[in-house]
Amino acid sequence: MSKPRGPYAKTSAKRQQIIDAALAAYAEAGSRNVSLRDIAQRVGMTYAGVMHHFGSKEALLTAVLEARDAVAAERFGPDPDGTGLPHSEILRHNASTPGLVKLFVDLAAAAAEPDHPAHDFFEQRYADLRARLAERIERNVADEVDPAWLARIFIAAVDGIQLQWLLDPEIDMAADIERLGELLIGPRWATDPAGRRPTPDTPAE
């Protein structure tokens, strides 16, 4: 596929510049709120200029979360520990960017409304994550356990612990999720490098 040229290429590049600036602003924000004017100043634009490219603040913030997921996938890989589970290293990294965690929690709640700009993003994100996680769980837990159910519960725990951490930063999110994975699925989530369920002759690594 050829790269965009002309005015469209400039528009696409400017959109990406705004997204990158917003991603950095939220990553650095801590508990401080980030305004569109903060973001606009980072790219030498006006508030109206930013709105021209995204139409609404919610649309921009949705693009920021999409970029955040892309960065995480590139940094940690889609399945970094071979379990298919939300990786504890991602939660450790998230602890260094509370502004982005708060943005995720806030936008996820608001996106429950069907007409919210982030609704489709979160709907697809959770569907993909549930399917990927359930497939992996199915290989590693007892037959009587419903993998789809366990996937939903595990994802709920990951999201819930991030909300609790925002209220109490002393919580160790990664350690809690690692412990939960061991309790639900076994030591190191009961997998070997090939993703097979351990037997007495093939202990979990």
Side-chain angles (χ1 to χ4, degrees):
M1 183 179 296
S2 61
K3 294 183 179 179
R5 292 182 293 180
Y8 181 81
K10 292 180 181 179
T11 298
S12 179
K14 181 57 71 173
R15 278 178 57 90
Q16 189 59 53
Q17 186 182 2
I18 295 169
I19 291 170
D20 291 344
L23 188 61
Y26 275 96
E28 299 165 7
S31 60
R32 180 179 63 83
N33 289 328
V34 176
S35 73
L36 283 187
R37 288 180 172 80
D38 293 335
I39 297 167
Q41 287 179 354
R42 286 176 177 247
V43 290
M45 296 179 65
T46 64
Y47 173 91
V50 171
M51 285 295 92
H52 170 74
H53 287 281
F54 291 92
S56 70
K57 181 177 182 179
E58 290 77 14
L60 168 58
L61 298 184
T62 302
V64 170
L65 290 183
E66 290 174 338
R68 178 196 187 217
D69 280 358
V71 170
E74 183 176 348
R75 178 171 181 175
F76 299 105
D79 190 11
D81 56 12
T83 64
L85 297 175
H87 191 32
S88 56
E89 280 303 312
I90 294 178
L91 289 176
R92 289 192 178 93
H93 174 70
N94 287 355
S96 69
T97 58
L100 282 171
V101 174
K102 186 176 187 301
L103 173 61
F104 177 89
V105 170
D106 290 347
L107 209 59
E113 296 295 331
D115 59 349
H116 191 281
H119 180 84
D120 290 348
F121 164 73
F122 277 102
E123 185 177 47
Q124 189 62 52
R125 184 182 192 275
Y126 279 120
D128 291 345
L129 185 54
R130 285 194 304 267
R132 190 165 63 247
L133 180 52
E135 180 182 2
R136 190 68 193 193
I137 287 174
E138 190 171 14
R139 305 175 191 172
N140 299 289
V141 298
D143 292 336
E144 62 270 17
V145 177
D146 178 5
W149 172 81
L150 187 51
R152 291 196 303 272
I153 296 303
F154 203 95
I155 294 167
V158 171
D159 285 0
I161 200 65
Q162 292 187 92
L163 174 58
Q164 293 185 58
W165 173 77
L166 286 171
L167 296 169
D168 180 7
E170 294 300 315
I171 290 173
D172 187 334
M173 297 188 289
D176 282 355
I177 292 303
E178 286 173 347
R179 185 178 180 185
L180 178 63
E182 290 176 359
L183 287 172
L184 292 177
I185 307 174
R188 284 190 59 80
W189 300 312
T191 59
D192 69 10
R196 299 182 298 267
R197 187 180 304 165
T199 68
D201 297 324
T202 58
E205 295 186 359

